Amino acid sequence: MKTLCTLIAMALLTSSAFARLDETEEQCTARYGKVLKREAYHNGNAQGDRCSYEAGNFLITVYFLKDRAAVLMISKRGNALFSLDEINLLLGANSGNSTWLNNHERSPDMQTFHRSDDRANAVIIKMDQMMVDSVEYRAATLGMDKF
């Protein structure tokens, strides 16, 4: 029973604490508090601000494209590994009411996923780094103005 209560509490806290693709900087800042570091980025036609935050044991960098969160880079302090529950919660927070599908990468150090609506992708590297990116960001990095 204690384990179930812990999992439910973790789900409620984690899912509401994590930024979601397409949120504004104001929404991200409301979740994490002040921006720890802000810098401009430029990658193909993708350009904007990159903001870093800390939330609990998590370090989050958000790349904004057209004033919306387009990429989320998430890791844990001390290079700690994500638990499977944390991965599922992070993916769930960014599901956009779609299902995440495993791409079944053949690398033992990397797992890749895509959303069933084809609007986002996720990569987990060595179970200690996660990147979630929007299709708009990927298109912009390839020099496409519209997707």
Side-chain angles (χ1 to χ4, degrees), residues 13 37 46 68 73 79 109 114 116 118 123 127 134-135:
L13 290 172
K37 183 178 180 182
R68 297 288 183 169
M73 303 287 291
N79 296 321
D109 293 335
H114 70 279
S116 59
D118 292 322
V123 178
M127 295 297 286
S134 68
V135 70

Side-chain angles (χ1 to χ4, degrees), residues 53-100:
Y53 304 89
E54 285 186 38
N57 287 328
F58 295 90
L59 306 172
I60 303 105
T61 300
V62 181
Y63 289 69
F64 293 95
L65 178 67
K66 298 179 183 172
D67 299 321
R68 297 288 183 169
V71 177
L72 309 172
M73 303 287 291
I74 306 162
S75 62
K76 292 178 74 174
R77 289 179 197 235
N79 296 321
L81 301 180
F82 290 114
S83 70
L84 292 178
D85 287 336
E86 289 169 329
I87 289 170
N88 288 330
L89 289 168
L90 290 165
L91 290 173
N94 286 285
S95 68
N97 296 320
S98 295
T99 304
W100 285 100

Side-chain angles (χ1 to χ4, degrees), residues 11-142:
L12 291 172
L13 290 172
T14 306
S15 64
S16 65
F18 286 101
R20 289 159 183 84
L21 292 176
D22 205 38
E23 286 190 330
T24 65
E25 182 180 335
E26 291 75 25
Q27 290 170 307
C28 293
T29 300
R31 289 181 190 282
Y32 307 128
K34 69 178 184 170
V35 174
L36 300 176
K37 183 178 180 182
R38 175 192 311 277
E39 53 193 358
Y41 76 90
H42 181 80
N43 185 0
N45 286 354
Q47 58 187 356
D49 285 337
R50 174 175 52 218
C51 297
S52 297
Y53 304 89
E54 285 186 38
N57 287 328
F58 295 90
L59 306 172
I60 303 105
T61 300
V62 181
Y63 289 69
F64 293 95
L65 178 67
K66 298 179 183 172
D67 299 321
R68 297 288 183 169
V71 177
L72 309 172
M73 303 287 291
I74 306 162
S75 62
K76 292 178 74 174
R77 289 179 197 235
N79 296 321
L81 301 180
F82 290 114
S83 70
L84 292 178
D85 287 336
E86 289 169 329
I87 289 170
N88 288 330
L89 289 168
L90 290 165
L91 290 173
N94 286 285
S95 68
N97 296 320
S98 295
T99 304
W100 285 100
L101 304 171
N102 191 323
N103 293 338
H104 301 290
E105 284 289 328
R106 296 181 186 210
S107 168
D109 293 335
M110 183 171 64
Q111 296 178 40
T112 65
F113 301 85
H114 70 279
R115 265 186 5 200
S116 59
D117 65 359
D118 292 322
R119 303 299 302 163
N121 299 285
V123 178
I124 301 165
I125 302 169
K126 295 187 178 182
M127 295 297 286
D128 68 355
Q129 299 174 41
M130 177 185 272
M131 179 181 85
V132 181
D133 65 347
S134 68
V135 70
E136 291 84 5
Y137 179 82
R138 285 199 179 196
T141 62
L142 295 173

